[in-house]
Amino acid sequence: MKLVCEGIDLSDAVLKVVKACSSKTTVPVLECIKISAKNDGITLSATDGEISIIKTIKAEVYEEGEVCVPGKYFTDFIKKLEGVQITLVSEGKKMDIVYADSQTSMQVLSAEDFPKIDLDIKENSFTLKTKDLKKFINSTSFCCATDDSRPILKGCQFVIDGENVCVTSLDGFRLATVSGKVVSATGNMEIICPARTLNEIEKMLPDDDNDTEIFIQKGMILVSSEDTVLTSRLYGGDFIKKENIIPKKFITEVVIEKEKLKASIERAAILVRGDKNSLIIFDITGDKIEISSASEIGNVQEPVKAEIEGKDVRIAMNSKFIIDAVNALDEEKIALSFNNQVQPFICQNEINKDKLYLILPVRTSNNA
């Protein structure tokens, strides 16, 4: 194999596909990026068995061929060559990287051992506005679980029902759900997509007003954008029904300015950020929420004006969870709804209720 390409193009490509390289495996080829040179371009591929990313760029190909290079090392090296033209020449188990007046050699593996990536995924599909898809991902993926005790909670549930779409995630302590409209769909469907996959999809999509079509088939998902194609396994199983978790009625309703609430929570969180639950307390009474926290370092106690209807409530919570929810909302005022100190409460925009965040309170000895 012999080819010449621009360093900036190759760097951009490897930075995209290396995200699919495995970091924990006993199969060396899964740590690799496969480089395939053919016609007037090169295709870079990586997979860890769950997610696969393929990117094609232009190149002058003098000798067709394909090799597998160590993904992380190759990426880190090529990142340092964005401003020069690069020549790649492989023969046997070695590849030369020629740039400017310099040359570096790197050990490679045979491409014959690289897994075949199935791109024949087109049985079902739904189409979303690209900006809506990015919003759905940004608004929900942070609530997915990160441990392997319940794998299905490491993904977001997409439910397509007619022209409506609802995306939900939860980790056992909090829940996020966002609703919107699809541009089109081949039918009603439900999928659970890994949060890691969704975050890579969000990064590869451009910031424009175009549409993105998502293909589904036999537990797999495929999304393409420009010269990049991503495929991934979907999670199987029954997702938790949010209708059984979200309270139907509340005894205390609060409307409050988002920025004032956020600033006060963030200050209160500073003193408890080293604690296990990063605990802060809302004392809701009269026309204010008094936000407090205490640790060995000191204590914070701040009142924030609010419009309150219903009974007084004193409730403790994880400061990170409430900050994440407030940051995800986008109106000047937000609505908080409570029942008591042990039942979950919800956060929404004051007017547009397309996003809902539910948070479980933390039980303490002094928040009754």
Side-chain angles (χ1 to χ4, degrees):
M1 181 184 78
K2 183 177 181 180
L3 63 93
V4 177
C5 64
E6 295 299 326
I8 186 68
D9 295 337
L10 185 58
S11 177
D12 176 68
V14 295
L15 285 169
K16 281 187 170 68
V17 302
V18 75
K19 302 293 182 62
C21 289
S22 178
S23 57
K24 298 177 182 178
T25 181
T26 57
V27 183
V29 76
L30 295 182
E31 298 177 343
C32 291
I33 294 173
K34 185 174 83 168
I35 302 174
S36 302
K38 191 175 183 180
N39 299 328
D40 59 350
I42 58 174
T43 300
L44 297 99
S45 312
T47 183
D48 63 2
E50 178 179 89
I51 185 173
S52 304
I53 303 176
I54 301 171
K55 171 78 174 176
T56 302
I57 63 172
K58 290 183 177 181
E60 294 181 41
V61 178
Y62 296 99
E63 186 178 331
E64 294 184 352
E66 51 186 21
V67 296
C68 289
V69 298
K72 297 288 192 296
Y73 293 107
F74 185 72
T75 300
D76 288 344
F77 195 83
I78 296 300
K79 276 196 302 185
K80 306 297 183 183
L81 301 176
E82 292 186 347
V84 299
Q85 199 172 65
I86 297 173
T87 300
L88 301 180
V89 182
S90 70
E91 187 173 348
K93 296 182 178 181
K94 186 187 76 166
M95 182 175 72
D96 293 329
I97 306 170
V98 183
Y99 49 98
D101 297 325
S102 304
Q103 178 173 319
T104 297
S105 294
M106 191 170 288
Q107 296 295 312
V108 296
L109 298 178
S110 170
E112 294 179 2
D113 299 325
F114 193 82
K116 184 180 183 301
I117 299 174
D118 184 10
L119 298 179
D120 187 21
I121 301 170
K122 56 187 177 183
E123 185 177 346
N124 297 296
S125 71
F126 60 95
T127 301
L128 297 167
K129 288 287 184 185
T130 301
K131 62 182 180 182
D132 288 344
L133 176 56
K134 291 168 79 78
K135 180 188 78 171
F136 293 149
I137 296 170
N138 287 328
S139 301
T140 58
S141 62
F142 65 85
C143 282
C144 290
T146 56
D147 61 75
D148 295 321
S149 59
R150 301 177 72 185
I152 200 169
L153 298 187
K154 294 173 68 177
C156 293
Q157 178 201 49
F158 281 68
V159 177
I160 312 297
D161 184 5
E163 63 179 14
N164 300 310
V165 56
C166 183
V167 185
T168 303
S169 65
L170 71 158
D171 62 5
F173 302 98
R174 54 181 171 166
L175 173 147
T177 184
V178 182
S179 57
K181 299 291 184 181
V182 296
V183 175
S184 63
T186 57
N188 293 346
M189 64 189 83
E190 175 186 333
I191 65 169
I192 304 165
C193 187
R196 176 190 170 207
T197 298
L198 291 172
N199 289 330
E200 292 305 326
I201 290 172
E202 194 275 333
K203 290 173 188 174
M204 69 183 262
L205 294 175
D207 293 316
D208 58 31
D209 293 325
N210 293 328
D211 298 340
T212 296
E213 188 168 12
I214 299 169
F215 295 92
I216 310 295
Q217 182 173 327
K218 295 178 180 177
M220 296 291 293
I221 185 173
L222 182 148
V223 179
S224 63
S225 176
E226 297 173 338
D227 295 318
T228 305
V229 179
L230 179 148
T231 70
S232 172
R233 295 185 186 278
L234 299 172
Y235 291 141
D238 295 326
F239 203 74
I240 293 172
K241 295 186 182 300
K242 66 179 185 296
E243 295 81 8
N244 298 336
I245 299 175
I246 302 171
K248 305 294 189 296
K249 296 180 180 179
F250 298 94
I251 63 170
T252 305
E253 303 277 358
V254 177
V255 174
I256 192 166
E257 289 186 34
K258 172 186 168 179
E259 291 304 321
K260 288 184 178 179
L261 177 66
K262 176 184 172 183
S264 184
I265 295 171
E266 289 177 340
R267 285 190 290 270
I270 291 172
L271 297 186
V272 293
R273 61 188 174 197
D275 296 349
K276 179 182 178 183
N277 289 316
S278 300
L279 195 70
I280 65 170
I281 294 174
F282 280 13
D283 205 341
I284 303 162
T285 178
D287 62 350
K288 69 181 185 302
I289 298 180
E290 192 165 88
I291 299 166
S292 61
S293 68
S295 68
E296 294 178 354
I297 300 169
N299 63 77
V300 174
Q301 199 163 331
E302 294 188 9
V304 182
K305 288 284 187 180
E307 302 167 36
I308 299 172
E309 291 185 6
K311 297 181 179 180
D312 294 351
V313 178
R314 181 178 170 86
I315 188 168
M317 66 199 70
N318 183 304
S319 60
K320 181 182 185 308
F321 293 171
I322 184 67
I323 289 171
D324 286 346
V326 170
N327 281 334
L329 297 171
D330 43 30
E331 290 183 359
E332 290 185 8
K333 290 187 176 182
I334 61 176
L336 308 174
S337 304
F338 304 88
N339 278 316
N340 54 45
Q341 70 268 26
V342 297
Q343 290 186 338
F345 65 95
I346 66 170
C347 313
Q348 293 178 286
N349 289 315
E350 180 192 19
I351 299 169
N352 186 357
K353 305 296 187 183
D354 62 332
K355 300 177 183 178
L356 181 149
Y357 297 94
L358 177 145
I359 299 172
L360 285 179
V362 179
R363 297 195 184 205
T364 68
S365 58
N366 65 346
N367 72 333

